Amino acid sequence: MAEAAPAIFYDGATAKPRPVALRFEPDALAIVEGGAVAARWPYDGIRRLSAGAGPLRVKSLSGAELARLEVEDEAAAAELVRRSPKIEEGTVTDRRTLLRIVGWSLAAAASLVVTAIYLVPVAADLLAPLIPVSVERRIGEAVDNQVRSIFGGEGCRNERGAAALAKLSGQLVSRASLPMPAEVRVLDSRIPNAVALPGGRVYLFEGLLRRANDPDEVAGVLAHELGHVAHRDGMRRMIQAGGSSFLLGRALVDTSYSREAETAADRFAADLVTALGRSPRPMGAFLVRLTGSGTGVVPPFLSSHPVSAARLEALKVREVPVTGAPLLTEEEWRDLKSICKAG
């Protein structure tokens, strides 16, 4: 190529572009303007400023801090790159720098994943038991307001239905070892769901009662939720969520517990209904029936309480002969099913 090639030079003192010619000397690039050398840049100190399409833009470590050079001529640009052994250092096109950036980015992403998957749940497990019950109950009241606002106001208050619910829940609570008093209510919502809030409040949704065939199915679900109360899983979930959401009520309903938490609540439920002389099998059968409803949509209860074959098999293994009295009479069962009806 010719010794001189056109370029645009910015001297760093003004923003005025200065047409110059480049002369490739043995150890340095001479920037010539009007026949005189305006600057001389050693090749070792030349660094690329940008990558991609467009002219080659470079600076010199020995030049003025803001001095820049733009080389549009492809042959001149290629020659300058060939003569400048460290031109890529300190730019994103420097392979070593790029690898470092990628490496640190992957490490940061991995750190976030590890924190979310392992450290936050571990911290929640450690912190939840240390939170005073009185504090959890106050938190539960705030979440309860959100849940009632989203899913049905003050809940169902049919007197006969409420009496049947109190009888059913009372039998379970009396056999459970809970860290706080439990309060069970029914919300007038058609979705088949159940949820245990921080502080001991448990909600059955009317849609769940509507799909149940007998009191044992409801008792199994209710015992499962009491297991979450006993293990303070609602408090753990809030710690994992950072306790900062303005929709904690919705999050508690829609977000799944861990597999370990669900399995532990299943064991708690099985122990509880067995202590009453009833079998845990109806709860498993109820979940299977909901899953196979044929609607093509997974009910919210199953969305927030994922059912696995292992869980169902574990409940089946816990099946025992029924030796206890029915949890509700037929009339009480009808009353419970009608708890959301007026009068």
Side-chain angles (χ1 to χ4, degrees):
M1 62 170 291
E3 281 195 4
I8 300 296
F9 178 56
Y10 297 87
D11 62 10
T14 69
K16 180 181 179 180
R18 297 162 56 177
V20 297
L22 305 181
R23 189 170 66 222
F24 293 95
E25 299 179 347
D27 298 322
L29 174 70
I31 301 173
V32 181
E33 182 180 26
V37 176
R40 183 175 278 104
W41 288 0
Y43 295 122
D44 281 352
I46 294 177
R47 299 290 185 270
R48 187 194 294 266
L49 289 175
S50 63
L56 172 66
R57 296 180 175 87
V58 296
K59 67 176 183 178
S60 174
L61 299 183
S62 62
E65 183 177 358
L66 299 179
R68 301 290 186 270
L69 186 68
E70 292 186 0
V71 186
E72 292 192 5
D73 185 89
E74 294 183 0
E79 182 66 14
L80 181 56
V81 170
R82 186 184 71 80
R83 288 173 177 261
S84 306
K86 300 179 180 179
I87 192 170
E88 305 293 357
E89 287 190 4
T91 71
V92 294
T93 56
D94 175 7
R95 177 168 294 185
R96 288 175 297 175
T97 301
L98 182 60
L99 290 175
R100 286 197 296 269
I101 292 173
V102 172
W104 281 110
S105 298
L106 291 176
S111 176
L112 291 174
V113 171
V114 169
T115 298
I117 295 178
Y118 297 106
L119 300 185
V120 172
V122 168
D125 288 341
L126 294 174
L127 292 175
L130 302 179
I131 295 176
V133 169
S134 59
V135 173
E136 180 176 340
R137 289 184 67 83
R138 286 197 295 272
I139 294 173
E141 291 174 2
V143 176
D144 176 65
N145 290 333
Q146 294 181 23
V147 171
R148 286 189 287 104
S149 175
I150 295 169
F151 294 104
E154 294 299 323
C156 300
R157 296 181 177 276
N158 178 283
E159 185 175 349
R160 293 173 63 88
L165 177 65
K167 178 180 177 180
L168 179 64
S169 61
Q171 295 176 79
L172 294 169
V173 171
S174 66
R175 297 296 186 100
S177 180
L178 301 178
M180 63 199 74
E183 183 178 352
V184 181
R185 295 183 181 179
V186 174
L187 285 179
D188 190 5
S189 172
R190 291 181 178 273
I191 60 176
N193 208 348
V195 61
L197 306 182
R201 185 159 294 172
V202 175
Y203 281 117
L204 301 175
F205 288 30
E206 196 268 342
L208 192 75
L209 294 178
R210 182 177 301 190
R211 299 195 186 190
N213 288 337
D214 57 57
D216 287 294
E217 292 183 347
V218 175
V221 172
L222 180 53
H224 177 96
E225 295 304 324
L226 292 175
H228 288 311
V229 173
H231 305 146
R232 304 184 74 177
D233 290 331
M235 197 68 242
R236 284 183 172 82
R237 187 186 292 178
M238 288 195 59
I239 295 173
Q240 291 172 11
S244 58
S245 171
F246 290 103
L247 291 176
L248 285 171
R250 170 68 72 175
L252 285 169
V253 172
D254 290 344
T255 306
S256 299
Y257 284 115
S258 69
R259 181 181 303 176
E260 292 77 11
E262 292 294 350
T263 300
D266 281 347
R267 287 197 298 266
F268 186 93
D271 291 340
L272 199 53
V273 297
T274 300
L276 293 173
R278 312 301 295 180
S279 172
R281 184 180 179 88
M283 181 175 75
F286 189 23
L287 298 182
V288 169
R289 192 167 68 255
L290 288 175
T291 306
S293 60
T295 62
V297 178
V298 177
F301 178 77
L302 302 183
S303 176
S304 56
H305 298 71
V307 181
S308 66
R311 285 183 60 194
L312 296 175
E313 186 61 30
L315 290 171
K316 186 185 298 183
V317 170
R318 295 295 302 271
E319 183 179 6
V320 295
V322 175
T323 59
L327 299 175
L328 295 176
T329 65
E330 291 186 5
E331 182 179 3
E332 290 168 336
W333 173 237
R334 288 193 297 270
D335 291 338
L336 179 58
K337 296 268 283 187
S338 303
I339 190 172
C340 293
K341 294 181 179 179

